Amino acid sequence: MDILQRPYAFLKGKRDILLNWLAVTAFFVLLLVIDNIGMKGFGNRFLQGLWFCLLMGAIPVMLPKIAARVYVCVFVPLFGIVSMVSSALRYHFALQIDGDIFAVLAATSPKEIQEFVGYFYGFWTIAILLVFFVAITAATVLLFRRPWRFSVFGAILGFAMLLPYGARFAYIYGSGKDRTKPFRRNLALNLCSGYYMYNRDFHALTAMAQSPAVPGNIALDPKARDMVGVIVLGESASRKHLGLYGYSRNTCPLLSGLGDGVIAYDDVLAAIQGTTRAVRYLFTQSTIKDKQNPRCTLFDILKRAGYDISLFSNQWRWGRYDGPIGVVFAHVDESVYVRETHGKSTGFDEDLLPYLRNAIGKTKDASGPKLVLLHLTGSHTKAKSRYPADFG
């Protein structure tokens, strides 16, 4: 009987430390569950995040009282708010906080962000966010008031809980894989790794814009001197919702009516999801295997051949530059942001048509080929807000 009582007495003496660890770990596991709601199951993504929950629960039990309480006051609300924002973004825009979030924000102007935020207004949205906020505040207060103290047992327990995440970290570094990978299933740390990746990619693009490596053997085919090309850069649309590709609704009535005059490619895939990052693969020499060497853009090559290039955009921008997309378009001959120059802009993509007609009309007196780029607003943020009220 004495043998059985000794372990019980030992654990009873360490009860507060164990409960502290369980409480903090349970909070982060709950955030992980919330973050995984709506995902494709709780498989690999959930398990990778679970090791991080053990890590976050281990740290405060290794700290003295004041440090542990500071840790709770900083990281509990921080991670809780990130999870709350992530859930709202995923619900409204199917946008997940991950490594791409900085690329998205860099290409989203304050005006567009203001428009996005407008979709959050609503009784249920505000009520749910308030519940989240109250719950996070209550969890912070309860954890702060726990009886924190440093002990050898707490240090040993914390170190033991660090081992799973540390082993995973060491494995990834030792195997030569992407070193940001250990952070990708942890929302707040995802922002850190995302910022690092964004800075790295954006630096490669700005270096390319400053001194593009244009091939020297560029020559214009004499038959192309009178050519007029138009590239339409869409937004937030997939071909599975286009009538031209067999969708049940006739969402492309004009294109579908051209019959054999339209060639619809049905065997083409984007290099990556998301316009901001896809643009670099569309218009530079970057590849999935060689991301950091864009060398030059398609527009640099066409300008070397004698093309005159105009960009007409129905998107807002930050100002003179527009993040990664603006860098890719930096060397065009003319750029017009319709919402900034068109006093009566409706916000609909049809506002680009007068600019397109004008650009094509000028080609009659041009001495070389012309390329027109149209950057649509597309279905940002909701398709119903992108059509006139009287549209079919």
Side-chain angles (χ1 to χ4, degrees):
M1 195 68 176
D2 186 53
I3 296 176
L4 295 176
Q5 289 178 343
R6 286 181 182 177
Y8 175 76
F10 175 80
L11 292 176
K12 185 178 180 180
K14 314 301 180 185
R15 183 183 62 180
D16 287 338
I17 297 174
L18 289 171
L19 288 178
N20 288 346
W21 171 74
L22 285 173
V24 177
T25 303
F27 174 80
F28 285 101
V29 170
L30 179 60
L31 293 183
L32 181 63
V33 170
I34 293 172
D35 181 51
N36 277 265
I37 293 175
M39 298 294 179
K40 295 180 180 179
F42 283 68
N44 191 46
R45 179 185 178 88
F46 180 79
L47 291 176
Q48 290 180 12
L50 195 57
W51 306 129
F52 180 73
C53 294
L54 296 177
L55 166 72
M56 297 304 293
I59 294 175
V61 298
M62 303 171 66
L63 301 175
K65 179 179 180 179
I66 296 178
R69 287 184 167 175
V70 170
Y71 176 91
V72 166
C73 290
V74 172
F75 289 101
V76 169
L78 172 64
F79 279 65
I81 291 171
V82 170
S83 293
M84 179 176 66
V85 173
S86 174
S87 300
L89 289 174
R90 186 167 59 250
Y91 175 76
H92 281 278
F93 309 120
L95 178 65
Q96 173 69 21
I97 291 184
D98 56 17
D100 295 339
I101 193 66
F102 283 99
V104 172
L105 290 175
T108 305
S109 68
K111 288 280 189 178
E112 195 172 8
I113 291 176
Q114 182 180 357
E115 185 178 25
F116 287 171
V117 172
Y119 285 102
F120 282 93
Y121 296 139
F123 173 78
W124 287 112
T125 303
I126 294 176
I128 292 172
L129 291 178
L130 283 175
V131 170
F132 261 104
F133 180 77
V134 171
I136 292 169
T137 303
T140 303
V141 172
L142 290 173
L143 291 173
F144 178 85
R145 297 177 65 180
R146 293 289 308 163
W148 297 99
R149 63 185 177 86
F150 175 80
S151 70
V152 175
F153 175 75
I156 295 173
L157 175 64
F159 181 76
M161 293 300 104
L162 291 175
L163 291 178
Y165 196 81
R168 173 173 169 73
F169 199 88
Y171 167 74
I172 290 176
Y173 265 65
S175 61
K177 296 182 179 179
D178 186 349
R179 295 185 176 183
T180 63
K181 193 173 181 180
F183 308 113
R184 291 186 187 173
R185 295 297 182 251
N186 319 307
L187 284 177
L189 290 183
N190 228 343
L191 295 177
C192 299
S193 62
Y195 180 73
Y196 164 77
M197 290 187 290
Y198 169 76
N199 252 351
R200 180 190 60 188
D201 294 347
F202 190 64
H203 176 74
L205 287 176
T206 53
M208 172 205 67
Q210 291 170 358
S211 47
V214 184
N217 57 343
I218 303 298
L220 181 66
D221 187 333
K223 297 179 182 178
R225 292 195 178 277
D226 298 326
M227 177 178 288
V228 178
V230 179
I231 295 177
V232 181
L233 184 62
E235 281 286 354
S236 304
S238 66
R239 67 186 182 198
K240 68 180 181 180
H241 289 150
L242 300 179
L244 197 63
Y245 287 93
Y247 184 52
S248 58
R249 297 179 179 178
N250 189 17
T251 53
C252 309
L254 299 180
L255 286 175
S256 299
L258 295 176
D260 294 337
V262 175
I263 301 175
Y265 296 95
D266 58 4
D267 58 350
V268 179
L269 297 175
I272 198 166
Q273 184 183 17
T275 306
T276 304
R277 295 185 66 189
V279 162
R280 80 180 297 168
Y281 297 106
L282 285 170
F283 299 128
T284 77
Q285 297 186 55
S286 288
T287 65
I288 295 296
K289 293 183 178 180
D290 190 13
K291 301 177 183 178
Q292 306 308 314
N293 192 16
R295 292 186 284 279
C296 68
T297 69
L298 169 65
F299 315 119
D300 294 321
I301 295 174
L302 292 178
K303 281 173 62 70
R304 177 70 62 88
Y307 274 78
D308 182 76
I309 304 175
S310 296
L311 165 68
F312 304 114
S313 175
N314 195 35
Q315 300 242 347
W316 295 103
R317 60 175 175 170
W318 282 101
R320 185 178 178 186
Y321 300 106
D322 186 27
I325 294 178
V327 173
V328 172
F329 294 147
H331 297 157
V332 300
D333 298 288
E334 176 188 21
S335 60
V336 177
Y337 287 80
V338 176
R339 295 195 183 191
E340 298 174 9
T341 59
H342 194 324
K344 296 181 180 179
S345 173
T346 65
F348 301 135
D349 290 323
E350 62 187 27
D351 289 342
L352 296 173
L353 293 178
Y355 291 88
L356 175 61
R357 294 191 190 100
N358 186 50
I360 293 176
K362 290 180 179 179
T363 59
K364 296 178 180 179
D365 303 321
S367 58
K370 175 75 175 180
L371 176 65
V372 179
L373 299 167
L374 301 178
H375 192 182
L376 309 182
T377 298
S379 54
H380 274 185
T381 53
K382 292 187 177 181
K384 67 178 183 180
S385 65
R386 298 307 174 199
Y387 296 93
D390 58 351
F391 188 82

